[in-house]
């Protein structure tokens, strides 16, 4: 009780002081993306092939450039799009595409053409179930057999990027072509429900596939899986389209690459094509935010966190020109108490349910990858426990 009395007193004090500091949203200054060591390494070591290396199939294959079959496929992730050459820009976690196809009587392999200068992990899903093993693209131009033996008949086939964006402005991850034995059917329809997820490594499943306490930094990256994380699993459970705008080790004041989240959010294609701003053509039914866990209390004390979280909530809604969109700030996933008080205070300060701003305590878990036993990330099982809290909460909130 003493904690809550102290918290309420802090909130009352903030109510008197914050209007002076936050009567308008903080201006978001775009920082120039710096040339990093990572950028230099990419430029020096990666040479794009003149022609893609092709992995052949024993089955007949019809090959299509993605830009030529736009009307027959559905892009995954609301920020996905094509470049001037008709390539699918696949930077944000969960990017990819989905198609309805009729596979020929011989069955079919699935071959995907990639153009990448950093390695990402991907999964193929057939009729909603993972088909084959997760695979990595590596660097360069290549056409890879990513699934073998898809049976004859009508199927919904999806390709999903399972890892997060690279943080250099010169990095790129593109899907160029698709080949299979069969024909396109009508493209999958847009879902009735659309959810946006914004935040840090928790939302990309950072370390979710790990099970140990002695993982190296590179191992944790390899053990990251967005399809094992809260946003993707929640969207699947609610039959919703999704957007995942997130990166590990990012915050309000903590940078991933050259960006803090409020500035990165404005980039349609993450760290790539920085002159392309995010201009939404669809409004989310709810925005779920997990942010601030990577900002130390020293660099971002309680009062400043509440100011920034309040202004960020306003800014998110401004993109959609609707200040009534439900915004749910979630916590308790990596730490029991870090930012818990601030998020509860934020909800009260902004008006709570009357303002469609909510605070939701999810399931704590630290059973995934970690450098030490006391510094581990949530596992896939930990994420599922939070999904089991969030899904019924959203259904009740949205009347679904």
């Amino acid at each position: 009780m003493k904690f809550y009395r102290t918290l309420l007193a802090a909130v009352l004090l903030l109510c008197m002081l914050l209007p002076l500091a936050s009567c308008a949203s903080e201006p978001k200054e775009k920082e120039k993306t710096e040339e990093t060591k990572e950028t230099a390494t990419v430029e020096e070591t990666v040479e794009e092939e003149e022609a893609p290396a092709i992995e052949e199939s024993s089955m007949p294959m019809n090959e299509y450039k993605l830009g030529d079959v736009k009307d027959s496929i559905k892009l995954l992730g609301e920020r996905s799009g094509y470049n001037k050459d008709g390539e699918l820009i696949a930077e944000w976690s969960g990017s990819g595409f989905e198609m309805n196809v009729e596979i020929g009587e011989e069955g079919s392999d699935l071959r995907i053409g990639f153009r990448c200068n950093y390695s990402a992990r991907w999964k193929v899903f057939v009729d909603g179930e993972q088909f084959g093993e997760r695979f990595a693209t590596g660097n360069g131009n290549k056409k890879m057999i990513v699934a073998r033996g898809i049976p004859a008949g009508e199927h919904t086939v999806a390709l999903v990027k399972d890892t997060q964006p690279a943080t250099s402005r010169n990095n790129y991850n593109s899907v160029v072509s698709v080949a299979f034995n069969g024909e396109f059917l009508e493209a999958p329809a847009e879902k009735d429900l659309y959810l946006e997820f914004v935040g840090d490594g928790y939302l990309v499943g950072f370390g979710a596939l790990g099970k140990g306490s002695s993982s190296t930094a590179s191992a944790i990256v390899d053990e990251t899986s967005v399809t094992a994380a809260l946003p993707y699993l929640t969207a699947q459970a609610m039959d919703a389209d999704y957007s995942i705008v997130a990166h590990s080790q990012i915050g309000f004041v903590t940078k991933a690459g050259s960006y803090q989240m409020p500035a990165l959010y404005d980039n349609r294609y993450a760290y790539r094509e920085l002159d392309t701003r995010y201009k939404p053509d669809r409004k989310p039914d709810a925005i779920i935010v997990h942010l601030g866990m990577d900002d130390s209390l020293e660099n971002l004390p309680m009062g400043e966190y509440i100011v920034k979280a309040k202004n960020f909530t306003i800014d998110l809604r401004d993109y959609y020109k609707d200040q009534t969109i439900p915004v749910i700030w979630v916590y308790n996933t990596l730490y029991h108490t870090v930012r818990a008080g601030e998020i509860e205070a934020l909800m009260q300060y902004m008006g709570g349910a009357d303002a469609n701003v909510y605070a939701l305590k999810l399931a704590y878990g630290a059973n995934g990858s970690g450098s030490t036993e006391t510094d581990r990330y949530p596992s896939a099982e930990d994420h599922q426990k939070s999904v089991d809290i969030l899904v019924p909460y959203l259904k009740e909130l949205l009347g679904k």
Side-chain angles (χ1 to χ4, degrees):
M1 291 299 294
K2 183 177 179 181
F3 168 80
Y4 287 105
R5 288 197 299 270
T6 302
L7 178 59
L8 287 173
V11 172
L12 290 174
L13 178 61
L14 287 166
C15 288
M16 292 185 291
L17 297 178
L18 291 182
L20 298 175
S22 57
C23 59
S25 296
E26 295 172 316
K28 293 176 296 189
E29 295 183 1
K30 275 290 179 185
E31 301 182 32
K32 292 184 179 180
T33 309
E34 299 172 357
E35 196 78 16
T36 64
K37 292 182 179 179
E38 181 181 3
T39 303
T41 301
V42 168
E43 291 179 333
E44 292 167 5
T45 62
V46 177
E47 294 184 3
E48 191 173 306
E49 302 171 29
E50 292 184 1
I54 302 176
E55 188 176 355
E56 298 293 350
S57 171
S58 60
M59 295 181 174
M61 304 278 270
N62 299 316
E63 184 173 72
Y64 308 89
K65 292 183 178 179
L66 284 194
D68 293 339
V69 292
K70 291 180 181 179
D71 294 338
S72 298
I73 63 177
K74 174 185 176 181
L75 299 186
L76 300 177
E78 289 297 312
R79 295 184 180 217
S80 297
Y82 297 94
N83 66 9
K84 60 182 177 61
D85 297 317
E87 301 174 350
L88 167 58
I89 297 175
E91 299 302 328
W92 292 112
S93 301
S95 296
F97 69 89
E98 186 177 60
M99 59 185 183
N100 290 328
V101 296
E102 183 168 0
I103 299 298
E105 62 182 14
E106 306 94 338
S108 181
D109 295 340
L110 179 67
R111 186 173 65 211
I112 302 293
F114 293 97
R115 189 176 72 87
C116 312
N117 72 351
Y118 69 93
S119 184
R121 277 68 175 169
W122 297 77
K123 286 184 178 180
V124 172
F125 294 85
V126 176
D127 300 325
E129 299 293 329
Q130 184 176 336
F131 195 90
E133 299 298 319
R134 188 169 86 144
F135 65 93
T137 54
N139 297 337
N141 288 6
K142 57 192 68 179
K143 295 179 180 180
M144 304 170 59
I145 302 295
V146 299
R148 294 187 181 274
I150 300 174
E154 295 185 5
H155 300 286
T156 300
V157 178
L159 176 75
V160 181
K161 185 178 182 183
D162 203 34
T163 45
Q164 64 182 350
T167 58
S168 165
R169 64 184 175 88
N170 291 331
N171 283 141
Y172 54 85
N173 215 267
S174 294
V175 184
V176 179
S177 63
V178 58
F180 61 96
N181 173 34
E183 299 178 349
F184 287 102
L185 301 175
E186 185 177 357
E190 186 178 90
K191 307 285 189 183
D192 292 335
L193 185 65
Y194 165 41
L195 302 173
E196 181 173 78
F197 297 83
V198 183
D200 51 31
Y202 178 72
L203 297 183
V204 300
F206 195 67
L209 301 183
K211 300 291 183 183
S213 58
S214 59
S215 300
T216 62
S218 60
I220 294 176
V221 171
D222 190 50
E223 291 160 356
T224 295
S225 172
V226 71
T227 58
L230 179 87
Y232 185 84
L233 295 175
T234 298
Q236 293 299 107
M238 297 193 69
D239 193 29
D241 289 328
Y242 60 83
S243 179
I244 304 170
V245 185
H247 201 284
S248 60
Q249 276 83 55
I250 201 168
F252 283 115
V253 297
T254 304
K255 293 181 179 180
S258 296
Y259 285 95
Q260 299 148 338
M261 177 47 71
L264 182 63
Y265 183 85
D266 195 39
N267 296 341
R268 181 175 179 183
Y269 299 131
Y271 295 84
R272 174 178 173 178
E273 296 193 10
L274 300 181
D275 58 341
T276 305
R277 301 275 70 78
Y278 174 48
K279 297 178 180 179
D281 54 12
R282 187 179 183 187
K283 183 172 68 176
D285 293 276
I287 303 173
I288 297 90
V289 186
H290 185 278
L291 192 62
M293 309 307 161
D294 291 296
D295 295 318
S296 71
L297 296 175
E298 179 180 352
N299 292 332
L300 189 61
M302 178 180 179
E304 291 182 23
Y305 178 92
I306 296 173
V307 172
K308 288 183 179 293
K310 174 219 171 195
N311 289 338
F312 191 48
T313 300
I314 294 170
D315 289 339
L316 290 175
R317 289 164 155 176
D318 274 347
Y319 281 96
Y320 305 102
K321 297 178 172 57
D322 186 349
Q323 287 295 323
T324 68
I325 298 172
V327 178
I328 302 102
W329 287 78
V330 296
Y331 64 96
N332 191 57
T333 56
L334 291 87
Y335 311 102
H336 285 298
T337 58
V338 174
R339 303 304 180 191
E342 290 99 312
I343 289 174
E344 292 287 351
L346 169 71
M347 181 184 67
Q348 298 300 325
Y349 176 58
M350 293 197 69
D354 291 338
N356 259 348
V357 179
Y358 306 91
L360 181 63
K361 182 178 180 179
L362 296 181
Y364 171 79
N367 299 297
S369 304
S371 56
T372 66
E373 190 60 40
T374 58
D375 186 23
R376 294 174 63 180
Y377 296 95
S379 66
E381 292 79 11
D382 296 328
H383 278 272
Q384 184 59 56
K385 291 176 183 177
S386 287
V387 171
D388 293 340
I389 295 171
L390 180 59
V391 167
Y393 182 88
L394 286 173
K395 286 183 176 180
E396 181 176 359
L397 179 66
L398 302 176
K400 299 296 183 181

